mmCIF file of all heavy atoms in Angstrom:
data_model
loop_
_atom_site.group_PDB
_atom_site.id
_atom_site.type_symbol
_atom_site.label_atom_id
_atom_site.label_comp_id
_atom_site.label_asym_id
_atom_site.label_seq_id
_atom_site.Cartn_x
_atom_site.Cartn_y
_atom_site.Cartn_z
ATOM 1 N N THR A 337 7.554 33.682 -26.228
ATOM 2 C CA THR A 337 6.719 34.511 -27.112
ATOM 3 C C THR A 337 6.032 35.549 -26.243
ATOM 4 O O THR A 337 4.818 35.544 -26.037
ATOM 5 C CB THR A 337 5.691 33.633 -27.861
ATOM 6 O OG1 THR A 337 6.305 32.421 -28.289
ATOM 7 C CG2 THR A 337 5.141 34.363 -29.079
ATOM 8 N N TYR A 338 6.844 36.464 -25.728
ATOM 9 C CA TYR A 338 6.392 37.319 -24.627
ATOM 10 C C TYR A 338 5.349 38.349 -25.030
ATOM 11 O O TYR A 338 4.493 38.719 -24.217
ATOM 12 C CB TYR A 338 7.594 38.007 -23.986
ATOM 13 C CG TYR A 338 8.537 37.037 -23.316
ATOM 14 C CD1 TYR A 338 9.819 36.810 -23.830
ATOM 15 C CD2 TYR A 338 8.152 36.328 -22.185
ATOM 16 C CE1 TYR A 338 10.680 35.907 -23.225
ATOM 17 C CE2 TYR A 338 9.011 35.426 -21.568
ATOM 18 C CZ TYR A 338 10.277 35.212 -22.101
ATOM 19 O OH TYR A 338 11.122 34.317 -21.511
ATOM 20 N N GLU A 339 5.414 38.822 -26.281
ATOM 21 C CA GLU A 339 4.417 39.819 -26.688
ATOM 22 C C GLU A 339 3.003 39.229 -26.648
ATOM 23 O O GLU A 339 2.043 39.901 -26.261
ATOM 24 C CB GLU A 339 4.730 40.383 -28.077
ATOM 25 C CG GLU A 339 4.715 39.378 -29.221
ATOM 26 C CD GLU A 339 6.066 38.708 -29.441
ATOM 27 O OE1 GLU A 339 6.866 38.616 -28.483
ATOM 28 O OE2 GLU A 339 6.313 38.273 -30.579
ATOM 29 N N TYR A 340 2.873 37.942 -27.036
ATOM 30 C CA TYR A 340 1.557 37.289 -26.973
ATOM 31 C C TYR A 340 1.176 36.984 -25.519
ATOM 32 O O TYR A 340 -0.005 37.024 -25.155
ATOM 33 C CB TYR A 340 1.556 36.014 -27.803
ATOM 34 C CG TYR A 340 1.649 36.263 -29.293
ATOM 35 C CD1 TYR A 340 2.690 35.732 -30.041
ATOM 36 C CD2 TYR A 340 0.697 37.035 -29.948
ATOM 37 C CE1 TYR A 340 2.791 35.960 -31.403
ATOM 38 C CE2 TYR A 340 0.787 37.274 -31.312
ATOM 39 C CZ TYR A 340 1.828 36.728 -32.034
ATOM 40 O OH TYR A 340 1.923 36.967 -33.384
ATOM 41 N N ALA A 341 2.173 36.671 -24.705
ATOM 42 C CA ALA A 341 1.902 36.423 -23.286
ATOM 43 C C ALA A 341 1.335 37.690 -22.638
ATOM 44 O O ALA A 341 0.348 37.628 -21.883
ATOM 45 C CB ALA A 341 3.174 35.987 -22.573
ATOM 46 N N ILE A 342 1.945 38.834 -22.931
ATOM 47 C CA ILE A 342 1.463 40.104 -22.372
ATOM 48 C C ILE A 342 0.020 40.361 -22.781
ATOM 49 O O ILE A 342 -0.813 40.785 -21.963
ATOM 50 C CB ILE A 342 2.375 41.273 -22.831
ATOM 51 C CG1 ILE A 342 3.753 41.141 -22.174
ATOM 52 C CG2 ILE A 342 1.739 42.626 -22.507
ATOM 53 C CD1 ILE A 342 4.802 42.055 -22.782
ATOM 54 N N ARG A 343 -0.285 40.074 -24.037
ATOM 55 C CA ARG A 343 -1.649 40.284 -24.530
ATOM 56 C C ARG A 343 -2.648 39.437 -23.738
ATOM 57 O O ARG A 343 -3.706 39.924 -23.329
ATOM 58 C CB ARG A 343 -1.714 39.916 -26.011
ATOM 59 C CG ARG A 343 -3.091 40.116 -26.659
ATOM 60 C CD ARG A 343 -3.146 39.467 -28.021
ATOM 61 N NE ARG A 343 -2.964 38.011 -27.922
ATOM 62 C CZ ARG A 343 -2.796 37.208 -28.967
ATOM 63 N NH1 ARG A 343 -2.746 37.715 -30.185
ATOM 64 N NH2 ARG A 343 -2.667 35.908 -28.788
ATOM 65 N N ASP A 344 -2.307 38.165 -23.508
ATOM 66 C CA ASP A 344 -3.243 37.289 -22.791
ATOM 67 C C ASP A 344 -3.351 37.648 -21.319
ATOM 68 O O ASP A 344 -4.440 37.597 -20.741
ATOM 69 C CB ASP A 344 -2.833 35.826 -22.954
ATOM 70 C CG ASP A 344 -3.306 35.237 -24.280
ATOM 71 O OD1 ASP A 344 -4.335 35.712 -24.808
ATOM 72 O OD2 ASP A 344 -2.658 34.315 -24.798
ATOM 73 N N TYR A 345 -2.240 38.018 -20.684
ATOM 74 C CA TYR A 345 -2.316 38.452 -19.282
ATOM 75 C C TYR A 345 -3.156 39.725 -19.169
ATOM 76 O O TYR A 345 -3.901 39.909 -18.196
ATOM 77 C CB TYR A 345 -0.919 38.683 -18.714
ATOM 78 C CG TYR A 345 -0.082 37.421 -18.577
ATOM 79 C CD1 TYR A 345 1.282 37.437 -18.859
ATOM 80 C CD2 TYR A 345 -0.658 36.220 -18.159
ATOM 81 C CE1 TYR A 345 2.063 36.291 -18.729
ATOM 82 C CE2 TYR A 345 0.101 35.070 -18.031
ATOM 83 C CZ TYR A 345 1.466 35.104 -18.321
ATOM 84 O OH TYR A 345 2.231 33.965 -18.197
ATOM 85 N N SER A 346 -3.047 40.586 -20.167
ATOM 86 C CA SER A 346 -3.865 41.810 -20.169
ATOM 87 C C SER A 346 -5.347 41.472 -20.307
ATOM 88 O O SER A 346 -6.201 42.112 -19.675
ATOM 89 C CB SER A 346 -3.431 42.733 -21.311
ATOM 90 O OG SER A 346 -2.106 43.180 -21.122
ATOM 91 N N MET A 347 -5.654 40.474 -21.142
ATOM 92 C CA MET A 347 -7.048 40.049 -21.295
ATOM 93 C C MET A 347 -7.585 39.500 -19.970
ATOM 94 O O MET A 347 -8.731 39.750 -19.598
ATOM 95 C CB MET A 347 -7.158 38.990 -22.389
ATOM 96 C CG MET A 347 -6.877 39.514 -23.791
ATOM 97 S SD MET A 347 -8.097 40.730 -24.354
ATOM 98 C CE MET A 347 -9.515 39.676 -24.611
ATOM 99 N N TYR A 348 -6.734 38.754 -19.268
ATOM 100 C CA TYR A 348 -7.130 38.254 -17.939
ATOM 101 C C TYR A 348 -7.455 39.437 -17.026
ATOM 102 O O TYR A 348 -8.482 39.454 -16.342
ATOM 103 C CB TYR A 348 -5.986 37.413 -17.344
ATOM 104 C CG TYR A 348 -6.299 36.812 -15.988
ATOM 105 C CD1 TYR A 348 -6.518 35.448 -15.852
ATOM 106 C CD2 TYR A 348 -6.378 37.611 -14.834
ATOM 107 C CE1 TYR A 348 -6.807 34.893 -14.597
ATOM 108 C CE2 TYR A 348 -6.658 37.063 -13.596
ATOM 109 C CZ TYR A 348 -6.875 35.710 -13.484
ATOM 110 O OH TYR A 348 -7.161 35.153 -12.258
ATOM 111 N N LEU A 349 -6.576 40.431 -17.003
ATOM 112 C CA LEU A 349 -6.743 41.573 -16.098
ATOM 113 C C LEU A 349 -7.923 42.453 -16.485
ATOM 114 O O LEU A 349 -8.457 43.180 -15.646
ATOM 115 C CB LEU A 349 -5.448 42.380 -16.043
ATOM 116 C CG LEU A 349 -4.285 41.645 -15.357
ATOM 117 C CD1 LEU A 349 -2.966 42.348 -15.644
ATOM 118 C CD2 LEU A 349 -4.535 41.526 -13.852
ATOM 119 N N ASP A 350 -8.342 42.385 -17.730
ATOM 120 C CA ASP A 350 -9.567 43.086 -18.119
ATOM 121 C C ASP A 350 -10.778 42.456 -17.425
ATOM 122 O O ASP A 350 -11.761 43.138 -17.129
ATOM 123 C CB ASP A 350 -9.765 43.014 -19.636
ATOM 124 C CG ASP A 350 -8.837 43.965 -20.382
ATOM 125 O OD1 ASP A 350 -8.288 44.881 -19.745
ATOM 126 O OD2 ASP A 350 -8.658 43.771 -21.602
ATOM 127 N N ILE A 351 -10.686 41.134 -17.180
ATOM 128 C CA ILE A 351 -11.780 40.416 -16.528
ATOM 129 C C ILE A 351 -11.676 40.532 -15.011
ATOM 130 O O ILE A 351 -12.663 40.771 -14.318
ATOM 131 C CB ILE A 351 -11.772 38.926 -16.953
ATOM 132 C CG1 ILE A 351 -11.960 38.805 -18.471
ATOM 133 C CG2 ILE A 351 -12.868 38.134 -16.218
ATOM 134 C CD1 ILE A 351 -11.673 37.414 -19.029
ATOM 135 N N GLU A 352 -10.454 40.357 -14.492
ATOM 136 C CA GLU A 352 -10.220 40.455 -13.045
ATOM 137 C C GLU A 352 -9.011 41.365 -12.813
ATOM 138 O O GLU A 352 -7.870 40.914 -12.845
ATOM 139 C CB GLU A 352 -9.952 39.074 -12.435
ATOM 140 C CG GLU A 352 -9.827 39.129 -10.922
ATOM 141 C CD GLU A 352 -9.414 37.796 -10.307
ATOM 142 O OE1 GLU A 352 -9.909 36.753 -10.766
ATOM 143 O OE2 GLU A 352 -8.593 37.819 -9.386
ATOM 144 N N PRO A 353 -9.242 42.648 -12.591
ATOM 145 C CA PRO A 353 -8.135 43.619 -12.554
ATOM 146 C C PRO A 353 -7.338 43.662 -11.248
ATOM 147 O O PRO A 353 -6.396 44.441 -11.146
ATOM 148 C CB PRO A 353 -8.854 44.949 -12.777
ATOM 149 C CG PRO A 353 -10.235 44.738 -12.283
ATOM 150 C CD PRO A 353 -10.561 43.301 -12.526
ATOM 151 N N TYR A 354 -7.677 42.819 -10.274
ATOM 152 C CA TYR A 354 -7.009 42.916 -8.972
ATOM 153 C C TYR A 354 -6.221 41.654 -8.622
ATOM 154 O O TYR A 354 -6.063 41.313 -7.459
ATOM 155 C CB TYR A 354 -8.037 43.200 -7.876
ATOM 156 C CG TYR A 354 -8.914 44.398 -8.180
ATOM 157 C CD1 TYR A 354 -10.283 44.243 -8.389
ATOM 158 C CD2 TYR A 354 -8.357 45.673 -8.284
ATOM 159 C CE1 TYR A 354 -11.084 45.337 -8.694
ATOM 160 C CE2 TYR A 354 -9.145 46.770 -8.589
ATOM 161 C CZ TYR A 354 -10.505 46.594 -8.794
ATOM 162 O OH TYR A 354 -11.289 47.672 -9.101
ATOM 163 N N ASN A 355 -5.716 40.969 -9.630
ATOM 164 C CA ASN A 355 -4.949 39.747 -9.389
ATOM 165 C C ASN A 355 -3.457 40.052 -9.440
ATOM 166 O O ASN A 355 -2.875 40.251 -10.507
ATOM 167 C CB ASN A 355 -5.316 38.670 -10.414
ATOM 168 C CG ASN A 355 -4.748 37.309 -10.062
ATOM 169 O OD1 ASN A 355 -3.541 37.155 -9.894
ATOM 170 N ND2 ASN A 355 -5.612 36.320 -9.935
ATOM 171 N N GLY A 356 -2.829 40.060 -8.282
ATOM 172 C CA GLY A 356 -1.419 40.427 -8.193
ATOM 173 C C GLY A 356 -0.499 39.458 -8.904
ATOM 174 O O GLY A 356 0.516 39.868 -9.501
ATOM 175 N N ASP A 357 -0.823 38.170 -8.885
ATOM 176 C CA ASP A 357 0.044 37.173 -9.521
ATOM 177 C C ASP A 357 0.086 37.339 -11.032
ATOM 178 O O ASP A 357 1.121 37.100 -11.658
ATOM 179 C CB ASP A 357 -0.419 35.760 -9.153
ATOM 180 C CG ASP A 357 -0.180 35.452 -7.679
ATOM 181 O OD1 ASP A 357 0.769 36.010 -7.098
ATOM 182 O OD2 ASP A 357 -0.955 34.659 -7.102
ATOM 183 N N ILE A 358 -1.018 37.739 -11.623
ATOM 184 C CA ILE A 358 -1.031 37.962 -13.075
ATOM 185 C C ILE A 358 -0.192 39.198 -13.426
ATOM 186 O O ILE A 358 0.539 39.204 -14.419
ATOM 187 C CB ILE A 358 -2.472 38.104 -13.605
ATOM 188 C CG1 ILE A 358 -3.272 36.845 -13.292
ATOM 189 C CG2 ILE A 358 -2.465 38.375 -15.113
ATOM 190 C CD1 ILE A 358 -2.739 35.571 -13.904
ATOM 191 N N TYR A 359 -0.267 40.227 -12.579
ATOM 192 C CA TYR A 359 0.610 41.397 -12.796
ATOM 193 C C TYR A 359 2.072 40.982 -12.701
ATOM 194 O O TYR A 359 2.917 41.489 -13.451
ATOM 195 C CB TYR A 359 0.300 42.495 -11.778
ATOM 196 C CG TYR A 359 -0.848 43.397 -12.194
ATOM 197 C CD1 TYR A 359 -2.050 43.389 -11.515
ATOM 198 C CD2 TYR A 359 -0.688 44.269 -13.276
ATOM 199 C CE1 TYR A 359 -3.098 44.216 -11.896
ATOM 200 C CE2 TYR A 359 -1.730 45.108 -13.662
ATOM 201 C CZ TYR A 359 -2.929 45.069 -12.971
ATOM 202 O OH TYR A 359 -3.954 45.899 -13.367
ATOM 203 N N ALA A 360 2.386 40.068 -11.793
ATOM 204 C CA ALA A 360 3.768 39.590 -11.670
ATOM 205 C C ALA A 360 4.215 38.904 -12.950
ATOM 206 O O ALA A 360 5.328 39.148 -13.458
ATOM 207 C CB ALA A 360 3.888 38.643 -10.483
ATOM 208 N N LYS A 361 3.369 38.061 -13.493
ATOM 209 C CA LYS A 361 3.707 37.351 -14.740
ATOM 210 C C LYS A 361 3.815 38.329 -15.912
ATOM 211 O O LYS A 361 4.720 38.223 -16.748
ATOM 212 C CB LYS A 361 2.633 36.297 -15.048
ATOM 213 C CG LYS A 361 2.605 35.121 -14.094
ATOM 214 C CD LYS A 361 1.508 34.131 -14.506
ATOM 215 C CE LYS A 361 1.455 32.935 -13.573
ATOM 216 N NZ LYS A 361 0.443 31.942 -13.997
ATOM 217 N N LYS A 362 2.885 39.239 -15.974
ATOM 218 C CA LYS A 362 2.885 40.210 -17.076
ATOM 219 C C LYS A 362 4.139 41.082 -17.009
ATOM 220 O O LYS A 362 4.788 41.367 -18.033
ATOM 221 C CB LYS A 362 1.628 41.076 -16.994
ATOM 222 C CG LYS A 362 1.489 42.142 -18.088
ATOM 223 C CD LYS A 362 0.080 42.709 -18.082
ATOM 224 C CE LYS A 362 -0.030 43.944 -18.974
ATOM 225 N NZ LYS A 362 0.226 45.187 -18.257
ATOM 226 N N GLY A 363 4.501 41.498 -15.789
ATOM 227 C CA GLY A 363 5.708 42.310 -15.627
ATOM 228 C C GLY A 363 6.957 41.562 -16.067
ATOM 229 O O GLY A 363 7.845 42.132 -16.713
ATOM 230 N N PHE A 364 7.027 40.286 -15.756
ATOM 231 C CA PHE A 364 8.197 39.489 -16.154
ATOM 232 C C PHE A 364 8.294 39.403 -17.677
ATOM 233 O O PHE A 364 9.390 39.525 -18.252
ATOM 234 C CB PHE A 364 8.109 38.089 -15.554
ATOM 235 C CG PHE A 364 9.312 37.244 -15.842
ATOM 236 C CD1 PHE A 364 10.490 37.422 -15.118
ATOM 237 C CD2 PHE A 364 9.285 36.291 -16.847
ATOM 238 C CE1 PHE A 364 11.615 36.652 -15.389
ATOM 239 C CE2 PHE A 364 10.399 35.524 -17.128
ATOM 240 C CZ PHE A 364 11.568 35.699 -16.397
#
Side-chain angles (χ1 to χ4, degrees):
T337 319
Y338 295 112
E339 62 271 26
Y340 291 121
I342 291 168
R343 181 192 63 189
D344 278 332
Y345 293 141
S346 296
M347 292 295 289
Y348 182 108
L349 292 166
D350 284 343
I351 299 168
E352 185 186 320
Y354 307 115
N355 191 303
D357 291 331
I358 301 299
Y359 275 112
K361 291 181 180 183
K362 180 167 169 269
F364 184 78

